Amino acid sequence: MKKHLDARSITTMALLIAMMVTLSRLLGIETQFLKVSFAFIPEIIMGMLFGPLWTGVGAVIADFIGMSLFAKAPFFIGFTINAFLEGAIYGYFFYKKEITWKNSIQSVLVSTILINLILTPLWLAMMYHVPLNSWVIWAPRLIKTVIWIPIQTAITYFLGGVLPYKQWIARFNRA
Ligand code: FOL
């Protein structure tokens, strides 16, 4: 893993963070109990280029920027933890790796189970003082999960086909 980031890496990170903020806060759907967005796309690219630690850090920065510019709810630290873990998951599965059906499915399942089905229900119950078994937490979430797993898996896999990641990795390793 990179110990420090050079100027080109910082510029690339900044661009990907800006894309994450835009996709999640401006082009995403957000209700009190559910979020749907395509912010995972720049996040996967970050994971391929920079690995788990830096992608986690980048996702945390995107959370801070998004919350300071476009907050629709009070800040809650649990979602910052989610952001770090989701970034770390994409870095773990895609850093300097070819995107295959296998790691696409694995990354989607691990992030969905850990973040969307375990941690987020806990944070929402704590934040809104509703019981953890409340239908307002689970009904929209289970519907989203069933629809979203195939969509996110397919987008992740096809991203692997269109991104010139071998050139990127060669270029970033030379620097
Ligand atoms: N606090 C912080 N730090 N960041 C936030 O984005 C944030 N957002 C809210 C409140 N405090 C915050 C607004 N409420 C979900 C739903 C509502 C919500 C926050 C999160 C939610 O369902 N999140 C899912 C989906 C995330 C995704 O796919 O982008 C999650 O697993 O975190």
Side-chain angles (χ1 to χ4, degrees), residues 104-121:
S104 305
I105 293 169
Q106 284 172 334
S107 74
V108 173
L109 286 182
V110 171
S111 68
T112 300
I113 292 168
L114 180 66
I115 293 170
N116 294 31
L117 297 180
I118 296 177
L119 292 177
T120 300

PDB file of all heavy atoms in Angstrom, residues 104-121:
ATOM      1  N   SER A 104     -16.809  -8.950  -7.827  1.00  0.00           N
ATOM      2  CA  SER A 104     -17.959  -8.038  -7.862  1.00  0.00           C
ATOM      3  C   SER A 104     -19.024  -8.511  -6.875  1.00  0.00           C
ATOM      4  O   SER A 104     -19.509  -7.740  -6.037  1.00  0.00           O
ATOM      5  CB  SER A 104     -18.595  -7.985  -9.249  1.00  0.00           C
ATOM      6  OG  SER A 104     -17.668  -7.649 -10.230  1.00  0.00           O
ATOM      7  N   ILE A 105     -19.391  -9.798  -6.992  1.00  0.00           N
ATOM      8  CA  ILE A 105     -20.440 -10.337  -6.118  1.00  0.00           C
ATOM      9  C   ILE A 105     -20.001 -10.283  -4.661  1.00  0.00           C
ATOM     10  O   ILE A 105     -20.760  -9.877  -3.778  1.00  0.00           O
ATOM     11  CB  ILE A 105     -20.802 -11.781  -6.537  1.00  0.00           C
ATOM     12  CG1 ILE A 105     -21.466 -11.776  -7.917  1.00  0.00           C
ATOM     13  CG2 ILE A 105     -21.717 -12.446  -5.518  1.00  0.00           C
ATOM     14  CD1 ILE A 105     -21.613 -13.160  -8.540  1.00  0.00           C
ATOM     15  N   GLN A 106     -18.722 -10.662  -4.410  1.00  0.00           N
ATOM     16  CA  GLN A 106     -18.236 -10.650  -3.030  1.00  0.00           C
ATOM     17  C   GLN A 106     -18.293  -9.249  -2.424  1.00  0.00           C
ATOM     18  O   GLN A 106     -18.760  -9.072  -1.294  1.00  0.00           O
ATOM     19  CB  GLN A 106     -16.791 -11.165  -2.975  1.00  0.00           C
ATOM     20  CG  GLN A 106     -16.698 -12.668  -3.118  1.00  0.00           C
ATOM     21  CD  GLN A 106     -15.250 -13.135  -3.255  1.00  0.00           C
ATOM     22  OE1 GLN A 106     -14.383 -12.388  -3.713  1.00  0.00           O
ATOM     23  NE2 GLN A 106     -14.992 -14.370  -2.869  1.00  0.00           N
ATOM     24  N   SER A 107     -17.832  -8.244  -3.174  1.00  0.00           N
ATOM     25  CA  SER A 107     -17.817  -6.885  -2.611  1.00  0.00           C
ATOM     26  C   SER A 107     -19.239  -6.408  -2.324  1.00  0.00           C
ATOM     27  O   SER A 107     -19.494  -5.783  -1.291  1.00  0.00           O
ATOM     28  CB  SER A 107     -17.111  -5.918  -3.565  1.00  0.00           C
ATOM     29  OG  SER A 107     -17.924  -5.616  -4.678  1.00  0.00           O
ATOM     30  N   VAL A 108     -20.174  -6.709  -3.224  1.00  0.00           N
ATOM     31  CA  VAL A 108     -21.557  -6.265  -3.013  1.00  0.00           C
ATOM     32  C   VAL A 108     -22.171  -6.987  -1.811  1.00  0.00           C
ATOM     33  O   VAL A 108     -22.825  -6.358  -0.968  1.00  0.00           O
ATOM     34  CB  VAL A 108     -22.404  -6.481  -4.281  1.00  0.00           C
ATOM     35  CG1 VAL A 108     -23.876  -6.183  -4.011  1.00  0.00           C
ATOM     36  CG2 VAL A 108     -21.899  -5.599  -5.421  1.00  0.00           C
ATOM     37  N   LEU A 109     -21.922  -8.297  -1.700  1.00  0.00           N
ATOM     38  CA  LEU A 109     -22.519  -9.034  -0.576  1.00  0.00           C
ATOM     39  C   LEU A 109     -21.934  -8.578   0.758  1.00  0.00           C
ATOM     40  O   LEU A 109     -22.684  -8.348   1.715  1.00  0.00           O
ATOM     41  CB  LEU A 109     -22.311 -10.544  -0.752  1.00  0.00           C
ATOM     42  CG  LEU A 109     -23.184 -11.222  -1.804  1.00  0.00           C
ATOM     43  CD1 LEU A 109     -22.908 -12.723  -1.831  1.00  0.00           C
ATOM     44  CD2 LEU A 109     -24.675 -10.964  -1.560  1.00  0.00           C
ATOM     45  N   VAL A 110     -20.615  -8.430   0.826  1.00  0.00           N
ATOM     46  CA  VAL A 110     -20.003  -8.026   2.095  1.00  0.00           C
ATOM     47  C   VAL A 110     -20.490  -6.633   2.492  1.00  0.00           C
ATOM     48  O   VAL A 110     -20.888  -6.407   3.643  1.00  0.00           O
ATOM     49  CB  VAL A 110     -18.453  -8.073   2.018  1.00  0.00           C
ATOM     50  CG1 VAL A 110     -17.827  -7.451   3.258  1.00  0.00           C
ATOM     51  CG2 VAL A 110     -17.985  -9.508   1.853  1.00  0.00           C
ATOM     52  N   SER A 111     -20.502  -5.678   1.548  1.00  0.00           N
ATOM     53  CA  SER A 111     -20.932  -4.324   1.939  1.00  0.00           C
ATOM     54  C   SER A 111     -22.425  -4.296   2.248  1.00  0.00           C
ATOM     55  O   SER A 111     -22.852  -3.621   3.188  1.00  0.00           O
ATOM     56  CB  SER A 111     -20.558  -3.293   0.867  1.00  0.00           C
ATOM     57  OG  SER A 111     -21.309  -3.492  -0.293  1.00  0.00           O
ATOM     58  N   THR A 112     -23.237  -5.034   1.506  1.00  0.00           N
ATOM     59  CA  THR A 112     -24.673  -5.038   1.780  1.00  0.00           C
ATOM     60  C   THR A 112     -24.970  -5.628   3.156  1.00  0.00           C
ATOM     61  O   THR A 112     -25.721  -5.034   3.947  1.00  0.00           O
ATOM     62  CB  THR A 112     -25.431  -5.854   0.706  1.00  0.00           C
ATOM     63  OG1 THR A 112     -25.180  -5.258  -0.564  1.00  0.00           O
ATOM     64  CG2 THR A 112     -26.931  -5.857   0.971  1.00  0.00           C
ATOM     65  N   ILE A 113     -24.355  -6.782   3.461  1.00  0.00           N
ATOM     66  CA  ILE A 113     -24.664  -7.431   4.732  1.00  0.00           C
ATOM     67  C   ILE A 113     -24.124  -6.612   5.897  1.00  0.00           C
ATOM     68  O   ILE A 113     -24.858  -6.292   6.848  1.00  0.00           O
ATOM     69  CB  ILE A 113     -24.103  -8.875   4.754  1.00  0.00           C
ATOM     70  CG1 ILE A 113     -24.868  -9.741   3.745  1.00  0.00           C
ATOM     71  CG2 ILE A 113     -24.202  -9.480   6.157  1.00  0.00           C
ATOM     72  CD1 ILE A 113     -24.238 -11.092   3.475  1.00  0.00           C
ATOM     73  N   LEU A 114     -22.842  -6.229   5.825  1.00  0.00           N
ATOM     74  CA  LEU A 114     -22.243  -5.516   6.959  1.00  0.00           C
ATOM     75  C   LEU A 114     -22.832  -4.109   7.131  1.00  0.00           C
ATOM     76  O   LEU A 114     -23.216  -3.721   8.238  1.00  0.00           O
ATOM     77  CB  LEU A 114     -20.721  -5.427   6.766  1.00  0.00           C
ATOM     78  CG  LEU A 114     -19.982  -4.698   7.885  1.00  0.00           C
ATOM     79  CD1 LEU A 114     -20.063  -5.472   9.193  1.00  0.00           C
ATOM     80  CD2 LEU A 114     -18.518  -4.458   7.508  1.00  0.00           C
ATOM     81  N   ILE A 115     -22.909  -3.371   6.036  1.00  0.00           N
ATOM     82  CA  ILE A 115     -23.262  -1.955   6.163  1.00  0.00           C
ATOM     83  C   ILE A 115     -24.771  -1.735   6.088  1.00  0.00           C
ATOM     84  O   ILE A 115     -25.343  -1.092   6.964  1.00  0.00           O
ATOM     85  CB  ILE A 115     -22.510  -1.133   5.103  1.00  0.00           C
ATOM     86  CG1 ILE A 115     -21.015  -1.192   5.452  1.00  0.00           C
ATOM     87  CG2 ILE A 115     -23.004   0.307   5.062  1.00  0.00           C
ATOM     88  CD1 ILE A 115     -20.101  -0.647   4.430  1.00  0.00           C
ATOM     89  N   ASN A 116     -25.420  -2.269   5.049  1.00  0.00           N
ATOM     90  CA  ASN A 116     -26.849  -1.969   4.878  1.00  0.00           C
ATOM     91  C   ASN A 116     -27.758  -2.778   5.793  1.00  0.00           C
ATOM     92  O   ASN A 116     -28.837  -2.313   6.157  1.00  0.00           O
ATOM     93  CB  ASN A 116     -27.282  -2.209   3.430  1.00  0.00           C
ATOM     94  CG  ASN A 116     -26.620  -1.234   2.470  1.00  0.00           C
ATOM     95  OD1 ASN A 116     -25.505  -0.790   2.712  1.00  0.00           O
ATOM     96  ND2 ASN A 116     -27.297  -0.897   1.413  1.00  0.00           N
ATOM     97  N   LEU A 117     -27.340  -4.023   6.142  1.00  0.00           N
ATOM     98  CA  LEU A 117     -28.248  -4.865   6.929  1.00  0.00           C
ATOM     99  C   LEU A 117     -27.855  -5.010   8.399  1.00  0.00           C
ATOM    100  O   LEU A 117     -28.665  -5.455   9.205  1.00  0.00           O
ATOM    101  CB  LEU A 117     -28.363  -6.263   6.285  1.00  0.00           C
ATOM    102  CG  LEU A 117     -28.966  -6.292   4.875  1.00  0.00           C
ATOM    103  CD1 LEU A 117     -29.033  -7.718   4.351  1.00  0.00           C
ATOM    104  CD2 LEU A 117     -30.356  -5.651   4.836  1.00  0.00           C
ATOM    105  N   ILE A 118     -26.620  -4.667   8.781  1.00  0.00           N
ATOM    106  CA  ILE A 118     -26.235  -4.768  10.192  1.00  0.00           C
ATOM    107  C   ILE A 118     -26.014  -3.381  10.802  1.00  0.00           C
ATOM    108  O   ILE A 118     -26.725  -2.977  11.728  1.00  0.00           O
ATOM    109  CB  ILE A 118     -24.981  -5.661  10.376  1.00  0.00           C
ATOM    110  CG1 ILE A 118     -25.292  -7.102   9.936  1.00  0.00           C
ATOM    111  CG2 ILE A 118     -24.521  -5.634  11.836  1.00  0.00           C
ATOM    112  CD1 ILE A 118     -24.103  -8.050   9.995  1.00  0.00           C
ATOM    113  N   LEU A 119     -25.047  -2.612  10.269  1.00  0.00           N
ATOM    114  CA  LEU A 119     -24.688  -1.359  10.931  1.00  0.00           C
ATOM    115  C   LEU A 119     -25.744  -0.270  10.752  1.00  0.00           C
ATOM    116  O   LEU A 119     -26.158   0.361  11.737  1.00  0.00           O
ATOM    117  CB  LEU A 119     -23.325  -0.864  10.426  1.00  0.00           C
ATOM    118  CG  LEU A 119     -22.136  -1.743  10.842  1.00  0.00           C
ATOM    119  CD1 LEU A 119     -20.842  -1.224  10.233  1.00  0.00           C
ATOM    120  CD2 LEU A 119     -22.021  -1.798  12.368  1.00  0.00           C
ATOM    121  N   THR A 120     -26.204  -0.046   9.506  1.00  0.00           N
ATOM    122  CA  THR A 120     -27.161   1.045   9.293  1.00  0.00           C
ATOM    123  C   THR A 120     -28.437   0.882  10.129  1.00  0.00           C
ATOM    124  O   THR A 120     -28.895   1.858  10.730  1.00  0.00           O
ATOM    125  CB  THR A 120     -27.471   1.207   7.789  1.00  0.00           C
ATOM    126  OG1 THR A 120     -26.248   1.510   7.126  1.00  0.00           O
ATOM    127  CG2 THR A 120     -28.458   2.338   7.534  1.00  0.00           C
ATOM    128  N   PRO A 121     -29.052  -0.314  10.212  1.00  0.00           N
ATOM    129  CA  PRO A 121     -30.217  -0.445  11.097  1.00  0.00           C
ATOM    130  C   PRO A 121     -29.900  -0.055  12.543  1.00  0.00           C
ATOM    131  O   PRO A 121     -30.725   0.608  13.192  1.00  0.00           O
ATOM    132  CB  PRO A 121     -30.590  -1.929  10.984  1.00  0.00           C
ATOM    133  CG  PRO A 121     -30.099  -2.324   9.637  1.00  0.00           C
ATOM    134  CD  PRO A 121     -28.839  -1.532   9.416  1.00  0.00           C
TER     135      PRO A 121
END
